[in-house]
Amino acid sequence: MTIALIWAEARGGVIGDAGTIPWHLPEDLAHFKEVTLGGTVVMGRRTWQSLPERFRPLPGRRNVVVTRDAAWSADGAEIAHSLDEILDAGGSDDTSAPVWVIGGGEIYAQSLARASRLEVTEVDLDVAGDTRAPTIDHAVWQVAHETEWVESRTGTRYRFLSYERRR
Ligand code: VY7
């Protein structure tokens, strides 16, 4: 099973603040939806709770939520009690669609070592935050594709980068 991480980060690697994403970038949400639609998304319980209620579960995707809390459940969420439980379930086949790890900070940090693809949106903003993306080690990861910087209709500049693991 291919494991891929997808996130959007501001300058300094900020991905979140107090349970929300501290910017509004509709083009990134469209990108996120396009990339993950039809697949499996894996997220931490805090990320699930950060989604607007009308978007839970994320439509058109298998939604897996990781929590240590044996008593936790939510309509539309499949529960895993550890990240390994879900990531190990797919076997060693790398040919089918990736499992998308969609956040947040703790889950990215725990899954990076097992990932073979990263889809990163860089957002040209300096924002305060309490949650950061994992550090991308360029000795391990190479850029497979990158777009030019483009300006959102909101005025914010952003670009999309795809990384693959060096071999
Ligand atoms: C953001 C939302 C936040 C506020 C309002 C709607 C990248 C993102 C994530 C995770 C953005 C969000 C939404 C947008 C997507 C819609 C559902 C509603 C859909 C990530 N690059 N960007 N993220 N939603 N992991 N990586 O959670 O979500 O997909 O259907």
Side-chain angles (χ1 to χ4, degrees):
M1 175 170 62
T2 301
I3 298 163
L5 276 51
I6 182 167
W7 74 77
E9 63 172 54
R11 299 270 169 211
V14 169
I15 61 169
D17 189 50
T20 67
I21 298 174
W23 57 79
H24 175 63
L25 193 59
E27 294 89 345
D28 175 62
L29 299 185
H31 168 75
F32 169 75
K33 184 172 183 175
E34 179 186 310
V35 170
T36 59
L37 206 64
T40 298
V41 292
V42 176
M43 71 196 93
R45 191 267 306 161
R46 290 174 183 163
T47 291
W48 169 272
Q49 283 176 328
S50 78
L51 292 171
E53 233 179 301
R54 66 186 181 283
F55 296 118
R56 295 194 317 230
L58 288 172
R61 283 147 283 188
R62 179 181 172 203
N63 284 231
V64 180
V65 178
V66 181
T67 175
R68 288 182 199 93
D69 184 348
W72 192 86
S73 71
D75 285 350
E78 209 176 304
I79 291 158
H81 289 112
S82 74
L83 193 58
D84 287 344
E85 182 184 316
I86 176 72
L87 299 185
D88 290 339
S92 57
D93 180 11
D94 269 344
T95 58
S96 48
V99 165
W100 290 100
V101 175
I102 66 162
E106 286 187 36
I107 300 294
Y108 290 136
Q110 291 168 14
S111 57
L112 182 67
R114 302 190 55 175
S116 52
R117 272 178 71 186
L118 310 174
E119 296 294 333
V120 179
T121 305
E122 291 185 350
V123 182
D124 188 19
L125 288 176
D126 278 301
V127 292
D130 60 18
T131 309
R132 283 188 166 63
T135 302
I136 297 172
D137 180 349
H138 293 269
V140 173
W141 297 97
Q142 64 189 1
V143 175
H145 185 260
E146 65 187 309
T147 68
E148 297 293 305
W149 285 96
V150 286
E151 191 172 314
S152 165
R153 62 177 165 85
T154 64
T156 298
R157 288 181 354 119
Y158 67 95
R159 66 173 177 170
F160 300 126
L161 291 157
S162 303
Y163 292 89
E164 61 186 24
R165 194 174 276 282
R166 292 185 191 276
R167 38 164 300 155

